[in-house]
Amino acid sequence: MTTMTQSGITVEEAIKAALQKLNVSRDEVEINIRTHGRKGFLGIGAKAAEVEVTLISSEKVEKEIQREAVPEVLESEATIVEPKTTSLEEEAQQIDAIAETQKYLGDIAKEMKILDLEITHVIDGKYVNFQLESKKAALLIGKRGQTLNALQQLAQLVVNKYGDQFKVVRIDVGDYRDRREQSLEHLAERMADKAIRTGRKVQLEPMPAYERKVIHHTLSSRLDIETHSEGADPYRYLVIEPIR
């Protein structure tokens, strides 16, 4: 695990700085807020916010990081450098990983009595986007997307079990993710307004990392509140706090 500590004027600025240094997105890390910091009066008594950011990665990613950190030995030295996997081999492994994941999702659907499931996928860099279609879409989605999120987490494990390169899996049914994102954006604004109106922090229900990311992004431009996550998955939740 790669962990770093970063400070900033606000929690959000500290998080952004850490993400830039690690060159990752928010849904690829776990964030632990050490101190929220304070502005002080006329600069007196000000205290920087401090966060601890941990990169969520598989053993393969850790090995890749370690491998990149060690410079290759020159041919003049009597050390044999293991050749890199060819692009054809990588492509074959990627195809196998996706095929295994689709089979896995299909098997789960059958257990749920869903026999008309159609699965398509699109690869976008490190992301693998699976699109599921069925007349029983509601069963695949579940209450507030809980079933869909569980399927996504399981598919993530399967893809990276059979693949040689770390991939981030996204699963959607119809246009559910778009509709859910719009709902989260409206929720974010309402809860932020509530925090300002009451002068108290507002705690949202537990959400997966990518949904918390939507809330963070929606409120990132507001100067009257700040957001952070608390708790441990799968019960990690987001807090919206007014800036006094």
Side-chain angles (χ1 to χ4, degrees), residues 110-170:
K110 289 177 183 178
E111 292 295 325
M112 299 170 66
K113 309 301 180 185
I114 299 175
L115 305 180
D116 64 340
L117 181 65
E118 294 183 5
I119 306 175
T120 57
H121 75 274
V122 175
I123 301 174
D124 182 13
K126 67 178 179 180
Y127 296 98
V128 182
N129 302 297
F130 290 97
Q131 183 70 31
L132 310 186
E133 299 293 342
S134 169
K135 292 181 180 179
K136 297 183 178 180
L139 286 178
L140 292 169
I141 296 171
K143 183 180 180 181
R144 294 181 181 175
Q146 291 178 351
T147 301
L148 185 58
N149 292 336
L151 289 174
Q152 183 168 280
Q153 292 175 353
L154 292 171
Q156 176 81 56
L157 296 175
V158 177
V159 161
N160 289 303
K161 175 183 179 181
Y162 291 96
D164 189 54
Q165 295 182 340
F166 181 74
K167 296 290 185 182
V168 177
V169 170
R170 294 170 173 170

Side-chain angles (χ1 to χ4, degrees), residues 17 20 51 72-73 80 112 117 129 139 153 159 179 204 206 233-234 236-238:
Q20 289 178 351
V51 298
E72 292 189 357
V73 181
I80 299 176
M112 299 170 66
L117 181 65
N129 302 297
L139 286 178
Q153 292 175 353
V159 161
R179 289 186 285 110
L204 304 185
D233 287 325
R236 194 164 175 78
Y237 57 90
L238 189 140

Side-chain angles (χ1 to χ4, degrees), residues 199-226:
R200 295 186 175 186
K201 63 181 181 181
V202 175
Q203 175 182 316
L204 304 185
E205 64 183 15
M207 298 177 184
Y210 86 93
E211 290 193 348
R212 298 196 304 271
K213 181 180 179 181
V214 172
I215 303 290
H216 282 300
H217 178 72
T218 301
L219 301 178
S220 62
S221 62
R222 291 191 57 155
L223 303 179
D224 54 350
I225 55 95
E226 62 182 16

Side-chain angles (χ1 to χ4, degrees), residues 171-185:
I171 298 183
D172 200 359
V173 176
D175 62 347
Y176 173 77
R177 295 295 189 195
D178 287 339
R179 289 186 285 110
R180 176 63 172 167
E181 184 170 328
Q182 291 175 9
S183 177
L184 289 171
E185 290 172 351

